[in-house]
């Protein structure tokens, strides 16, 4: 057993982190968010690097790598809070690759992989990341049983203004349009939940890092506030949430590539844990920053807001815990 | 990343499973300390006779040179098979590795084999009435007298002392030196009049741990482990080993309890109560997080030679989860879970010790904040 990335995977992750560290600084995230736009040049660059198609097969013009590699990119994208349709496009591509017919794959995957178009993915009637400006959307039925691929123009898309201005959102209904996905919609949903969890792990990692830096520096009562035990124990709890979510998210991404029998449970595990971590860690980050943490001017709120939207996306902790219980109850009955 | 066991690991596991299938320890007796101890001694003997007593020890000392991962597999399989802990668990996990790290060749020759065979049982005499979390504050005094040290003081919470031949004893040899520098580490013979063991009854009603009253006990100088004044560093070696493979045993036991609880909830229909469903989901999430984080921690140590941040989290997560889960059992099973002879009642009570023994959760959080995350000390 080796519960660590390979050298290649580490390299992908490092390179992604370096690039986003330069190209998606928090100042740029802020100015894009405040202008309610994306910086086109960032997306162009990610497309040139092949990020949207990294887990799409080479046959369909993608990188032919796994969900795990894609997850490392999303983690770094969450860490940088990059303003881009990466999560939505990657989830859409994974879904079509997973559950689409040959014709559907031929039609959509090469364009999604090459970045010629962007996609979106979600559960019917809920909030979809990046739906309004996308070209194609995969819509999963409320019960998770069936999926439909639809050109965005043929779907019923209403733009949502959410609390998270770092990303664009829309509510999607199917209307008359669309083409049923013949394959396993629940697996498509599981894959999207895994990569969303990866983004949340990145958000948590960054919020925690910012907090540790801040409390080392900020002095009250003549001491750094990070020397007070209540603050220290809060930080320790943030680490437990973050590292726990990391363990189960990597496990789920690995299961997606290596052992599909584990995927349903692993993805529920990842999404319940990462949603909890995202919400708790970013809320704690605000608290540990004090008054400044409550201002628009400080940057922690961007992470809190993204975490809220990611946590709710495809169902949050409660939904996925219920799923874990149902899986365990079924296994218990069969023993 | 590869979360399957390697071929060697599978072979190791299968060999162990086969052995366990043929050498089932049977049901552990309940309630009677002496009977439990006898049962666990028999079990360790049987492990020893087949070379399974301490897989993580080097071959030259009677172990199997098991990798960290194999050692984890060993404890998982023991947990899965419902095997008890061996009688000399503190000897195997704490005293042995500490002696291997710090002992002279004579000490290794003398002590290691009887640890393995359960001929000589060990206990850990660290905590004192006034030195618990602040371990370096121990007051027990050791004064040099010719070839001996004369030791006087009191230890407390000493698990298994009533069965022990030897004690890992931390005592102050230099009261003038600074707190951490005045300590030395001894291997103390418990079989002397000057050492009195008095059982302490726990909230469960049993007495796993004891008080030690030490009144001018004599310890030959050759029984000092490490150098004089080096006791703190040697004690840290012991503490670092405190939870090593055992965590995997506890983790599997936790999962088994949870599976029982899920089965109970299915049987009595409470699984359909959304509040119970949520709580069970929380426990499933925590239990799996614990298992996977423990494995991740092992991989980090194996690959990079030192633990990552995740390594410091598992004992905390385990103790908290075990406490929450045994509390949830009261909701699911109902008030009969609180009847004295109900197994859940024992689990509920015993779990309260989890966040105290082996370092309290508060101390673990301090360590995580200051040593792992680098926050300033006050
Ligand atoms: C079942 C069991 C078995 C044990 N077996 C052994 C054994 O075999 N050998 C042995 O030597 N010891 C053993 N112990 C003792 C154990 O290691 C100590 O109980 C533990 O380290 C706590 O010390 P204490 O009891 O003195 O509590 P204290 O240190 O007095 O702690 C009291 C409370 O204050 C908190 N506290 C203390 N210091 C701080 C701080 N700096 N920051 C925040 N909070 C703090 C603690 O977390 C705790 O909640 C055992 C304990 C138990 C419960």
């Amino acid at each position: 057993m080796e519960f660590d990335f390979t050298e290649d995977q580490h390299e992908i992750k490092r390179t992604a982190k370096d690039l986003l560290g330069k190209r998606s600084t928090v100042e740029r995230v802020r100015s894009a968010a405040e202008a309610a736009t994306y910086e086109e040049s960032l997306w162009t660059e990610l497309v040139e690097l092949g990020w949207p198609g990294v887990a799409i097969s080479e046959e369909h013009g993608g990188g032919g790598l796994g969900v795990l590699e894609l997850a490392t990119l999303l983690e770094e994208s969450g860490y940088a809070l990059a303003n881009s349709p990466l999560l939505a496009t990657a989830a859409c591509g994974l879904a079509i690759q997973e559950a689409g017919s040959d014709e559907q794959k031929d039609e959509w995957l090469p364009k999604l992989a090459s970045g010629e178009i962007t996609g979106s993915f979600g559960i019917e009637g809920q909030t979809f990341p990046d739906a309004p400006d996308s070209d194609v959307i995969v819509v999963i039925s409320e019960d998770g049983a069936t999926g439909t691929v639809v050109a965005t123009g043929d779907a019923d898309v209403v733009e949502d203004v959410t609390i998270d201005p770092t990303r664009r959102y829309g509510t999607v209904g199917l209307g008359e349009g669309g083409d049923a996905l013949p394959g396993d919609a629940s697996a498509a949903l599981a894959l999207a939940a895994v990569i969303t969890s990866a983004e949340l792990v990145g958000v948590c990692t960054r919020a925690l890092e910012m907090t540790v830096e801040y409390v080392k520096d900020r002095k009250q009562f003549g001491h750094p506030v990070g020397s007070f035990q209540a603050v220290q124990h809060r930080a320790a709890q943030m680490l437990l949430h973050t590292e726990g979510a990391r363990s189960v998210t990597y496990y789920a991404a690995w299961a997606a590539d290596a052992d599909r029998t584990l995927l349903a449970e692993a993805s529920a595990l990842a999404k319940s844990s990462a949603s909890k971590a995202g919400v708790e860690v970013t809320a704690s980050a605000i608290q540990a920053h004090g008054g400044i943490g409550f201002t628009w001017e400080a940057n922690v709120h961007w992470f809190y807001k993204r975490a809220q939207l990611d946590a709710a996306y495809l169902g949050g902790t409660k939904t996925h815990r219920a799923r874990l219980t149902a899986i365990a109850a079924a296994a218990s009955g069969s023993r | 990343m590869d979360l399957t066991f390697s071929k060697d690991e599978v072979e190791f596991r299968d060999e162990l499973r086969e052995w366990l299938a043929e050498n089932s320890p049977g049901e552990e007796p309940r309630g009677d300390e002496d009977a439990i101890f006898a049962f666990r001694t028999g079990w360790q003997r049987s492990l020893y006779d087949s070379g399974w007593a301490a897989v993580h020890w080097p071959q030259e000392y009677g172990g199997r040179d098991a990798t960290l991962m194999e050692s984890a597999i060993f404890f998982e399989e023991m947990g899965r098979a419902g095997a008890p802990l061996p009688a000399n668990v503190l000897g195997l996990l704490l005293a042995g590795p500490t002696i291997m790290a710090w002992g002279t060749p004579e000490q290794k020759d003398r002590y290691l084999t009887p640890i393995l065979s359960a001929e000589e049982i060990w206990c850990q005499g660290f905590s004192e009435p006034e030195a618990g979390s602040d371990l370096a504050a121990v007051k027990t005094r050791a004064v040099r007298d010719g070839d001996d040290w004369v030791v006087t003081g009191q230890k407390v919470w000493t698990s298994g002392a009533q069965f022990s031949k030897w004690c890992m004893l931390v005592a102050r040899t230099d009261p003038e030196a600074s707190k951490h520098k005045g300590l030395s580490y001894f291997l103390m013979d418990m079989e002397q009049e000057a050492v009195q063991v008095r059982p302490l009854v726990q909230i469960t009603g049993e007495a796993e741990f004891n008080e030690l009253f030490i009144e001018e006990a004599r310890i030959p100088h050759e029984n000092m482990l490490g150098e004089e004044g080096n006791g703190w560093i040697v004690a840290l070696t012991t503490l670092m080993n405190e939870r090593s493979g055992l965590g995997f045993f506890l983790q599997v036991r936790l999962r088994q309890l949870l599976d029982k609880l899920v089965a109970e909830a299915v049987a009595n229909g409470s699984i359909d109560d959304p509040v119970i469903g949520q709580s069970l989901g929380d426990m499933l999430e925590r239990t799996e997080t614990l298992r996977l984080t423990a494995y991740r921690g092992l991989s980090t140590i194996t690959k990079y030679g030192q633990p990552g941040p995740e390594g410091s989290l598992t004992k905390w997560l385990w103790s908290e989860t075990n406490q929450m889960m045994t509390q949830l059992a009261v909701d699911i099973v109902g008030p009969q879970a609180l009847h004295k002879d109900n197994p859940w009642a024992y689990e509920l009570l015993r779990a309260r010790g989890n966040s105290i023994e082996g370092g309290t959760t508060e101390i673990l959080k301090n360590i995580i904040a200051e040593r792992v995350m680098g926050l300033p000390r006050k």
Side-chain angles (χ1 to χ4, degrees):
Chain A
M1 179 183 298
E2 183 165 327
F3 203 145
D4 187 28
F5 296 126
T6 61
E7 210 22 70
D8 284 350
Q9 289 161 346
H10 273 301
E11 184 59 28
I12 292 173
K13 194 161 182 288
R14 261 196 304 272
T15 311
K17 184 170 182 144
D18 288 350
L19 174 89
L20 292 172
K22 294 191 198 91
R23 293 289 293 100
S24 178
T25 60
V26 75
E27 292 73 28
R28 287 175 125 165
V29 169
R30 163 182 294 275
S31 58
E34 288 176 344
T37 59
Y38 288 171
E39 226 182 278
E40 273 309 317
S41 62
L42 173 63
W43 181 241
T44 309
E45 200 164 337
L46 301 187
V47 163
E48 274 164 16
L49 291 165
W51 287 20
V54 72
I56 304 289
S57 68
E58 289 177 74
E59 182 196 344
H60 289 110
L65 296 175
V67 175
L68 194 54
E69 283 81 3
L70 175 60
T72 66
L73 296 181
L74 278 154
E75 183 185 330
E76 291 310 331
S77 167
Y79 180 91
L81 217 60
N83 316 79
S84 86
L86 181 64
L87 175 66
T89 301
C92 179
L94 279 183
I96 295 170
Q97 172 159 280
E98 182 66 27
S101 65
D102 289 345
E103 295 75 46
Q104 288 165 339
K105 291 184 202 174
D106 290 342
E107 182 177 0
W108 299 110
L109 292 182
K111 287 187 266 183
L112 283 167
S114 67
E116 190 186 328
I117 62 172
T118 65
S120 183
F121 177 94
I123 298 171
E124 188 170 9
Q126 300 187 1
T127 300
F128 286 48
D130 291 302
D133 299 303
S134 67
D135 300 283
V136 58
I137 307 180
V138 168
V139 182
I140 304 293
S141 60
E142 258 181 88
D143 64 3
T146 58
T148 305
V149 55
V150 58
T152 304
D154 296 336
D156 195 0
V157 181
V158 181
E159 179 153 4
D160 294 325
V161 180
T162 72
I163 60 169
D164 172 25
T166 68
R167 180 175 272 163
R168 282 174 270 173
Y169 297 90
T171 298
V172 180
L174 262 182
E176 297 297 299
D179 193 7
L181 295 171
D184 183 356
S186 66
L189 200 51
L191 294 174
V194 173
I195 62 174
T196 308
S197 301
E199 182 168 281
L200 278 163
V201 169
V203 168
C204 290
T205 306
R206 183 68 171 282
L208 177 54
E209 244 175 61
M210 290 166 78
T211 303
V212 167
E213 269 166 46
Y214 184 78
V215 302
K216 278 183 184 171
D217 201 47
R218 168 76 176 167
K219 286 202 174 67
Q220 286 293 284
F221 303 98
H223 298 280
V225 295
S227 68
F228 301 130
Q229 201 167 54
V231 175
Q232 293 192 343
H233 287 192
R234 180 185 290 282
Q237 183 69 62
M238 292 166 79
L239 185 75
L240 179 59
H241 281 313
T242 304
E243 293 307 318
R246 187 188 309 286
S247 300
V248 297
T249 299
Y250 291 175
Y251 165 67
W254 170 82
D257 293 330
D259 188 349
R260 281 306 181 88
T261 62
L262 301 172
L263 180 61
E265 184 182 5
S267 115
L269 185 60
K271 190 60 172 55
S272 82
S273 169
S275 299
K276 177 186 69 183
V279 167
E280 297 284 335
V281 170
T282 57
S284 263
I286 293 178
Q287 180 67 20
H289 278 73
I292 196 89
F294 189 62
T295 63
W296 189 269
E297 185 197 335
N299 288 314
V300 278
H301 70 108
W302 306 118
F303 292 86
Y304 176 78
K305 291 166 177 173
R306 176 71 72 83
Q308 287 286 338
L309 269 291
D310 274 358
Y313 180 45
L314 310 177
T317 299
K318 293 189 180 66
T319 304
H320 289 277
R321 278 188 185 162
R323 201 160 287 162
L324 287 174
T325 301
I327 292 169
S332 181
S334 69
R335 260 201 301 271
Chain B
M1 190 168 297
D2 179 7
L3 305 188
T4 59
F5 290 129
S6 69
K7 198 167 146 287
D8 286 352
E9 288 159 357
V10 169
E11 270 171 25
F12 177 89
R13 186 196 64 191
D14 289 348
E15 189 188 338
L16 178 58
R17 275 192 185 167
E18 208 170 296
W19 185 84
L20 278 167
E22 283 161 19
N23 297 272
S24 162
E27 265 305 300
E28 181 165 86
R30 286 194 89 92
D32 176 349
E33 287 291 312
D34 293 331
I36 293 172
F37 177 71
F39 180 77
R40 293 182 174 195
T41 305
W43 174 235
Q44 188 174 335
R45 277 253 146 223
S46 146
L47 287 167
Y48 173 69
D49 291 340
S50 305
W52 289 109
V55 296
H56 60 296
W57 286 22
Q59 242 158 8
E60 56 169 321
Y61 303 129
R64 286 191 180 231
D65 272 324
T67 61
L68 284 176
M69 200 58 79
E70 287 167 344
S71 186
I73 292 170
F74 175 82
F75 282 103
E76 273 198 347
E77 291 301 321
M78 289 291 147
R80 194 162 285 139
L85 285 171
N88 203 10
V89 62
L90 298 183
L92 294 169
L93 292 180
L94 304 188
T98 310
I99 292 169
M100 283 177 226
W102 293 96
T104 60
E106 293 74 29
Q107 288 171 331
K108 293 179 192 171
D109 270 357
R110 166 66 189 82
Y111 296 107
L112 294 177
T113 305
I115 288 179
L116 270 189
S117 63
E119 251 162 282
E120 292 180 348
I121 304 296
W122 285 70
C123 63
Q124 181 188 12
F126 284 20
S127 304
E128 295 183 1
E130 286 175 62
S133 298
D134 185 9
L135 187 57
V138 297
K139 286 189 176 151
T140 293
R141 269 292 272 138
V143 181
R144 185 77 189 247
D145 178 27
D147 285 342
D148 285 351
W149 290 87
V150 178
V151 182
T152 299
Q154 190 191 340
K155 294 287 172 182
V156 71
W157 325 125
T158 322
S159 303
Q162 67 272 48
F163 306 115
S164 293
K165 163 71 177 164
W166 295 102
C167 177
M168 301 166 249
L169 184 88
V170 179
R172 192 159 299 282
T173 44
D174 183 357
E176 307 301 319
S178 67
K179 193 165 143 192
H180 293 82
K181 297 229 168 87
L183 301 173
S184 300
Y185 195 116
F186 296 95
L187 313 177
M188 179 176 79
D189 192 339
M190 299 282 287
E191 289 177 5
Q192 48 181 317
E193 264 306 297
V195 179
Q196 289 300 320
V197 177
R198 187 189 300 162
L200 282 167
V201 181
Q202 299 165 192
I203 67 171
T204 52
E206 4 148 68
E208 284 173 271
F209 57 28
N210 306 269
E211 286 176 292
L212 300 189
F213 297 94
I214 309 169
E215 195 62 52
E216 300 196 346
R218 295 194 87 82
I219 305 180
H221 180 67
E222 64 189 35
N223 285 18
M224 184 181 275
L225 189 62
E227 300 290 308
E228 185 179 336
N230 210 20
W232 179 250
I233 312 286
V234 182
L236 285 181
T237 304
T238 307
L239 295 175
M240 304 251 283
N241 278 287
E242 187 129 35
R243 298 258 147 208
S244 48
L246 192 59
F248 285 85
F249 181 87
L250 299 173
Q251 172 264 114
V252 168
R253 280 295 166 87
L254 185 69
R255 180 65 206 218
Q256 289 173 330
L257 277 185
L258 178 55
D259 287 342
K260 270 192 201 157
L261 200 53
V262 170
E264 177 75 30
V266 169
N268 71 16
S270 62
I271 194 108
D272 297 326
D273 174 338
V275 178
I276 297 291
Q278 280 299 305
S279 304
L280 282 172
D282 185 12
M283 294 305 112
L284 289 158
E285 181 191 312
R286 285 168 163 274
T287 309
E288 276 296 275
T289 302
L290 175 64
R291 178 177 75 90
L292 293 162
T293 303
Y295 273 125
R296 187 154 74 89
L298 273 198
S299 279
T300 305
I301 298 180
T302 305
K303 200 162 159 185
Y304 303 103
Q306 53 192 19
E310 69 283 353
S312 59
L313 299 166
T314 47
K315 196 261 168 171
W316 168 17
L317 181 57
W318 166 74
S319 55
E320 195 174 85
T321 305
N322 199 32
Q323 291 173 347
M324 292 170 81
M325 199 176 73
T326 53
Q327 189 65 60
L328 176 60
V330 180
D331 293 330
I332 291 177
V333 175
Q336 66 267 35
L338 301 175
H339 294 192
K340 198 166 159 290
D341 291 334
N342 191 296
W344 287 108
Y346 174 79
E347 298 294 345
L348 176 77
L349 295 174
R350 184 62 187 85
R352 295 325 308 177
N354 298 161
S355 51
I356 302 169
E357 57 197 319
T360 69
T361 296
E362 288 77 12
I363 295 297
L364 292 179
K365 289 184 188 176
N366 292 348
I367 292 173
I368 291 163
E370 287 170 3
R371 308 229 189 100
V372 178
M373 308 177 86
L375 293 182
R377 281 163 169 268
K378 200 154 163 220

